[in-house]
């Protein structure tokens, strides 16, 4: 049997009611987070552009919008919105962002074809698990090859999740995965100038999963060896077909890596977040930005090309989106303002003189023993004007399995996000009540429009 055939057999064996309580809770947390993020982005320019580029109106909900689209279109816009502010969940081992792909894909497909909340829950758990586990087969290789892992593995996870939610049989799921392999894509050149394409990657993966699953349901045939084949997914995007495929299929349906998903406290690049925490603690000691002559951070080699270089651009990012992946800027913002929120990426914010002056003093050295990607850590060594040196370390990603956000933390984040998107408290309360019961009966997303 091929890898995809083994995986498909494990997927079809999962039925409503079999998920562990902790996995079900994580899938409920994903709904709260993703719906709030779709609303927070509803008026942003990239969502207006995404909607303007869609000519496929239909019956499915675009969260926070009056206009409705077909299932693939709704998944595309909702996925793009959910990832748009880089505030969505992270699987630390990847790094990949599962919820922003899988939740929009599964709910759009279910709203159109199978409005059964119990099957949506299975689909979201399966899709999330597949996406996350794929990132462990050849760690770091996809990023190193110049591709966005969430985009590549997202199409596969979405195909699996939608296939499970729509009740596809094992042969159809194999075909869906094989088809999705030819739909996967996403280069990371957005890093060069802060272009918008990283946002698009997630929506594209979500809609690709729907299209692949529907094609497979209709009888379209995909390659069985889509993962391990000599011309398969990993050969194409990781430059090797040799990988730990047991990381994908071993214990699937019995042991859930989904349970370890992390929810972000800051709307920016994941690996920068522990450095923000370090900067906030340094400032809490009473140290002022003007007291600091230099900051050196120990970093993982695998994060340098995305978050630290070119250093001048990371110290003074060219636009708000680029600033989300600029650790010196993010660190300095956290130090000067006591945190990093959605307001840290406006044109005015990224020109804040105190922040830029401090960011210009931030450099890095590679720590060869850094545990990335199995753990995200932070470190700051600051030299002060009096010659003294102070340090702060963050041993893990706050919001992850070692220091998770509570359900109330996620609700508080939801309320702030929907307020940023212009919703009233009445709308916020109604949406939370709806989200709380979406897995329990017939799916109706129409209250989330407008």
């Amino acid at each position: 049997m091929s890898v995809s055939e083994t995986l498909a057999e494990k997927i079809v064996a999962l039925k409503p009611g079999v998920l562990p309580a902790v996995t079900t809770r994580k899938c409920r947390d994903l709904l709260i987070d993703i719906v709030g993020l779709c609303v927070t982005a509803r008026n942003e320019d990239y969502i207006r552009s995404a909607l303007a580029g869609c000519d496929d109106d239909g019956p499915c909900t675009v969260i926070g919008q009056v206009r409705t689209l077909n299932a693939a279109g709704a998944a595309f816009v909702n996925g793009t919105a959910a990832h748009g502010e880089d505030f969505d969940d992270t699987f630390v081992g990847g790094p990949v962002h599962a919820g922003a792909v899988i939740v929009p894909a599964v709910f759009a497909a279910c709203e159109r074809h199978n409005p059964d909340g119990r099957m949506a829950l299975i689909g979201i758990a399966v899709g999330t698990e597949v996406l996350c586990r794929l990132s462990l087969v050849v760690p770091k290789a996809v990023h190193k090859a110049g591709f966005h892992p969430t985009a590549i593995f997202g199409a596969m996870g979405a195909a699996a999740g939608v296939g499970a939610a729509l009740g596809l049989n094992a042969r159809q799921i194999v075909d869906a995965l094989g088809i999705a392999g030819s739909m996967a894509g996403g280069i990371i050149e957005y890093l060069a100038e802060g272009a918008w394409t990283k946002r698009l990657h997630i929506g594209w993966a979500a809609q690709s999963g729907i299209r692949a699953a529907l094609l497979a349901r209709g009888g379209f045939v995909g390659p069985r060896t889509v993962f391990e084949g000599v011309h398969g997914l990993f050969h194409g995007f990781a430059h090797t077909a040799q990988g730990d495929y047991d990381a994908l299929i071993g214990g699937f349906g019995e042991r859930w890596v989904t349970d370890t998903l992390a929810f972000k406290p800051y709307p920016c690049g994941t690996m920068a977040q522990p450095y923000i925490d370090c900067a906030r603690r340094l400032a809490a000691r009473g140290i002022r930005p003007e007291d600091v002559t230099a900051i050196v951070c120990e970093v993982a080699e695998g994060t340098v090309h995305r978050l630290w270089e070119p250093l001048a651009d990371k110290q003074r990012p060219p636009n708000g989106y680029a600033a989300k992946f600029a650790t010196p800027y993010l660190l300095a913002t956290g130090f000067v303002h006591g945190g990093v929120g959605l307001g840290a990426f406006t044109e005015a914010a990224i020109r804040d003189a105190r922040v830029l002056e401090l960011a210009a003093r931030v450099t890095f050295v590679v720590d060869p023993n850094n545990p990335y990607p199995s753990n995200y850590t932070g470190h700051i060594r600051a030299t002060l004007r009096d010659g003294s040196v102070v340090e702060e370390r963050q041993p893990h990603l706050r919001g992850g399995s070692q220091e998770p956000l509570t359900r109330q933390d996620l609700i508080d984040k939801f309320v702030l996000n929907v307020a940023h998107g212009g919703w009233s408290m009445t709308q916020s309360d109604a949406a939370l009540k709806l989200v709380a019961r979406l897995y329990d009966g017939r799916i109706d997303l129409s209250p989330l429009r407008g």
Side-chain angles (χ1 to χ4, degrees):
M1 292 179 68
S2 70
V3 172
S4 69
E5 287 174 316
T6 303
L7 178 62
E9 292 288 350
K10 291 174 179 286
I11 290 172
V12 298
L14 296 169
K15 306 299 181 185
V18 303
L19 293 181
V22 65
T23 308
T24 298
R25 182 178 178 84
K26 186 67 72 168
C27 291
R28 291 188 184 277
D29 288 344
L30 279 175
L31 276 188
I32 295 171
D33 207 43
I34 295 304
V35 171
L37 291 168
C38 288
V39 176
T40 208
R42 62 191 284 266
N43 296 318
E44 298 297 331
D45 47 7
Y46 55 89
I47 293 302
R48 289 197 297 269
S49 295
L51 280 166
C54 292
D55 63 354
D56 43 5
D57 290 54
C60 294
T61 298
V62 181
I63 296 172
Q65 307 292 336
V66 173
R67 186 181 174 192
T68 57
L69 300 172
N70 69 10
F76 168 71
V77 178
N78 286 332
T80 301
H83 188 60
E85 295 305 310
D86 231 80
F87 209 0
D88 50 323
D89 59 277
T90 296
F91 175 58
V92 171
V96 286
H97 308 282
V101 177
I102 304 303
V103 172
V106 168
F107 270 96
C110 285
E111 187 179 22
R112 176 67 178 86
H113 299 285
N114 184 27
D116 181 341
R118 300 170 308 149
M119 292 305 292
L121 173 59
I122 288 290
I124 286 172
V126 164
T128 300
E129 191 74 6
V130 169
L131 199 167
C132 294
R133 282 171 171 258
L134 280 169
S135 72
L136 302 176
V137 174
V138 188
K140 299 189 284 187
V142 170
H143 248 149
K144 189 173 182 179
F147 299 104
H148 185 189
T150 303
I152 307 307
F153 302 136
M156 314 305 290
V162 171
L166 298 187
L168 271 59
N169 62 37
R171 177 68 249 180
Q172 290 169 328
I173 290 177
V174 170
D175 285 333
L177 291 168
I179 295 164
S182 287
M183 296 178 172
I187 59 174
I188 59 175
E189 185 60 14
Y190 61 84
L191 289 166
E193 297 174 330
W196 294 357
T197 47
K198 182 174 187 283
R199 292 161 163 151
L200 173 148
H201 291 168
I202 279 59
W204 194 259
Q207 66 94 28
S208 295
I210 290 178
R211 295 194 182 279
L214 292 180
L215 283 166
R217 189 175 70 169
F220 208 96
V221 177
R224 293 183 310 111
T225 52
V226 63
F227 295 122
E228 74 275 26
V230 294
H231 304 295
L233 189 84
F234 285 98
H235 170 79
F237 294 109
H239 298 171
T240 179
Q242 304 302 311
D244 179 12
Y245 292 102
D246 191 61
L248 172 60
I249 57 179
F252 191 97
E254 302 166 6
R255 173 178 50 84
W256 294 85
V257 302
T258 295
D259 300 347
T260 68
L261 283 185
F263 293 96
K264 290 183 180 180
Y266 309 114
C268 59
T270 309
M271 286 76 74
Q273 307 220 0
Y275 294 88
I276 298 171
D277 283 339
C278 289
R280 292 179 65 191
R281 288 203 299 272
L282 205 63
R285 293 189 187 189
I287 298 170
R288 301 174 304 162
E290 296 79 13
D291 298 331
V292 178
T293 60
I295 289 177
V296 179
C297 300
E298 294 174 358
V299 307
E301 186 276 334
T303 69
V304 169
H305 71 291
R306 300 195 304 284
L307 298 173
W308 289 95
E309 288 184 343
L311 184 58
D313 288 344
K314 302 302 185 180
Q315 293 169 332
R316 192 181 185 90
N319 55 57
Y321 193 56
K324 289 178 177 286
F325 314 104
T327 307
Y329 169 81
L330 295 166
L331 182 160
T333 298
F335 196 119
V336 171
H337 295 297
V340 176
L342 291 164
F345 305 100
T346 65
E347 286 304 307
I350 65 170
R351 299 292 170 252
D352 185 318
R354 291 187 77 208
V355 170
L356 295 179
E357 287 168 5
L358 181 60
R361 303 181 206 127
V362 178
T363 58
F364 70 94
V365 294
V366 171
D367 173 12
N369 299 314
N370 189 288
Y372 170 85
S374 59
N375 188 26
Y376 301 160
T377 63
H379 167 263
I380 286 179
R381 182 185 300 112
T383 302
L384 307 184
R385 293 199 180 280
D386 63 5
S388 61
V389 176
V390 293
E391 291 191 71
E392 285 286 349
R393 291 187 182 273
Q394 174 70 13
H396 52 255
L397 175 67
R398 190 162 57 87
S401 59
Q402 298 182 68
E403 192 179 346
L405 300 186
T406 66
R407 174 64 62 78
Q408 189 58 52
D409 290 334
L410 289 172
I411 290 172
D412 292 344
K413 178 182 173 182
F414 175 94
V415 171
L416 287 172
N417 277 333
V418 300
H420 181 266
W423 273 15
S424 67
M425 279 303 299
T426 300
Q427 289 172 297
S428 175
D429 291 343
L432 279 171
K433 290 176 182 176
L434 173 68
V435 166
R437 63 177 187 270
L438 273 177
Y439 291 134
D440 302 326
R442 184 176 176 81
I443 295 170
D444 178 10
L445 301 181
S446 60
L448 299 177
R449 300 172 187 171

